[in-house]
Amino acid sequence: MARVIETVARRLGVSPERLEREAIEVWLKRRLALVEAEIAEILAKYGVRSIEELEEYIRKGKVDEHPAWEDLITLERLLEEKKKLSEALRL
């Protein structure tokens, strides 16, 4: 892979380090946007603004437990991934 990066960097006239750094940043931003879109989709599905609000809706019976619990678990995973991606972008 390092060879590919060096070849592409040379053809583009940039350093391999810069190409690698910018490629990682683009990937992180793209993945973050996809995760945020998935989060927004789940929240919109239930008409809530946060994971806490969705949990409250489930507890109070405002939404059906199934598939809301599964979506809540997915939402927790997505929020954790969003946190990790955001942290990686700050490095």
Side-chain angles (χ1 to χ4, degrees):
M1 182 54 88
R3 205 165 153 207
V4 171
I5 292 171
E6 289 176 17
T7 301
V8 172
R10 189 173 43 254
R11 288 184 183 170
L12 295 175
V14 297
S15 71
E17 295 80 14
R18 178 179 172 195
L19 178 61
E20 196 169 26
R21 184 180 60 250
E22 288 182 11
I24 290 169
E25 183 179 348
V26 167
W27 185 88
L28 288 168
K29 286 180 178 180
R30 181 177 172 271
R31 182 67 193 150
L32 181 59
L34 292 171
V35 167
E36 288 175 337
E38 286 184 64
I39 291 169
E41 186 177 319
I42 292 172
L43 295 176
K45 178 179 179 180
Y46 297 99
V48 297
R49 292 176 296 223
S50 68
I51 191 170
E52 295 82 11
E53 193 174 3
L54 176 56
E55 195 169 0
E56 181 181 330
Y57 275 33
I58 294 169
R59 274 188 275 125
K60 290 185 176 181
K62 290 184 176 182
V63 296
D64 292 332
E65 285 187 20
H66 182 74
W69 276 116
E70 288 82 1
D71 286 337
L72 184 69
I73 292 166
T74 300
L75 193 53
E76 288 172 342
R77 180 188 57 77
L78 289 167
L79 289 169
E80 183 60 32
E81 185 174 356
K82 177 182 175 181
K83 179 182 172 186
K84 289 177 183 178
L85 290 165
S86 296
E87 288 171 357
L89 277 167
R90 288 191 292 269
L91 295 177

